[in-house]
Amino acid sequence: MTTLPLTTCQKDAPLPATSPTPASKAPHTYLALGDSYTIGESVPKTAQWGRQLTDLLRQQGVAVAAPVTIARTGWTTTELASAIQEADLAPRYDLVSLLIGVNDQYQGLPVSAYRAGFTELLQTSVRLAGGDPARVLVLSIPDWGATPFAEGRDRQLIAREIDAFNAVAKEETEKAGIAFLDITPLTRTYGNDAAYLAEDNLHYSGNMHREWALLALPLAQKIVA
């Protein structure tokens, strides 16, 4: 092995000029809050609308991490609020989405109780978004009454109740300065289309989740721009 002479680097010789290497920008963080529609009941994890949204954002050149998801089938607003309190979450996320309320309606809970619970979740979502309501995105409640699962039930009554819950959600969301995305019409248009339904004929396939992600994409792009 050849040893280089120490004289090749004199003590007082100036160091060569170098350009600092910029640190890689950390990907945006995303917290998805909800119930079966957020966790993607009966579909692969990669087909969840939140996961598909992050894929779409990446295709647009936006660095974003896979969503941290706090959601479970059957959760009401109260149960989601409790789960958030128990979860080990970061103090702040760049994007927070909220889709909750169908189980409040399904269980026959009053709209007034939903308003109280939903408003609390909005406040929690804003806190987790670093206090910035512009970083929160709320999705409307899908109309499960349009699916084959609702066969034999009063579909018109279900629709009216879903509309009442969504009216509260939209009112409180906009009052808080948060973006509200209405996905309910899609669930009524394709609620009986097998291509958009999961095998249980109640929840939705990856195709429907993709439609929600596509609708959410322009809003999410503004949030993480």
Side-chain angles (χ1 to χ4, degrees), residues 50-204:
R51 286 289 295 269
Q52 294 201 58
L53 177 60
T54 59
D55 290 341
L56 290 169
L57 286 168
R58 290 167 185 165
Q59 291 172 18
Q60 298 299 316
V62 179
V64 57
V68 173
T69 303
I70 305 297
R72 184 172 295 174
T73 299
W75 273 356
T76 62
T77 50
T78 300
E79 290 163 325
L80 175 58
S82 296
I84 293 172
Q85 290 180 350
E86 296 171 3
D88 183 19
L89 297 174
R92 178 189 181 280
Y93 293 85
D94 298 315
L95 168 63
V96 178
S97 66
L98 177 64
L99 198 178
I100 192 71
V102 71
N103 295 298
D104 297 67
Q105 180 275 328
Y106 183 80
Q107 294 181 23
L109 301 178
V111 175
S112 58
Y114 173 68
R115 183 187 295 273
F118 182 77
T119 302
E120 178 185 336
L121 285 170
L122 285 178
Q123 296 169 352
T124 299
S125 297
V126 171
R127 173 177 59 80
L128 289 167
D132 187 356
R135 292 193 173 276
V136 180
L137 173 61
V138 171
L139 280 68
S140 68
I141 303 168
D143 185 355
W144 64 274
T147 69
F149 181 85
E151 182 68 32
R153 301 173 186 256
D154 190 337
R155 296 178 187 270
Q156 292 185 348
L157 175 61
I158 295 169
R160 288 196 299 271
E161 291 181 349
I162 293 290
D163 285 344
F165 276 71
N166 276 330
V168 167
K170 186 173 189 293
E171 178 186 350
E172 295 298 334
T173 297
E174 294 181 346
K175 187 188 302 181
I178 296 170
F180 184 82
L181 182 63
D182 188 4
I183 63 172
T184 309
L186 276 172
T187 66
R188 287 172 173 162
T189 299
Y190 299 108
N192 203 38
D193 188 329
Y196 289 86
L197 290 167
E199 291 183 358
D200 63 7
N201 280 328
L202 170 61
H203 295 95
Y204 301 102

Side-chain angles (χ1 to χ4, degrees), residues 3-52:
T3 301
L4 295 176
L6 295 179
T7 54
T8 57
C9 182
Q10 297 179 9
K11 181 178 179 180
D12 298 326
L15 295 174
T18 58
S19 299
T21 302
S24 298
K25 187 176 180 180
H28 293 288
T29 53
Y30 173 25
L31 175 64
L33 306 173
D35 49 36
S36 59
Y37 297 132
T38 294
I39 203 164
E41 177 69 24
S42 299
V43 298
K45 189 174 183 179
T46 53
Q48 297 170 352
W49 78 267
R51 286 289 295 269
Q52 294 201 58

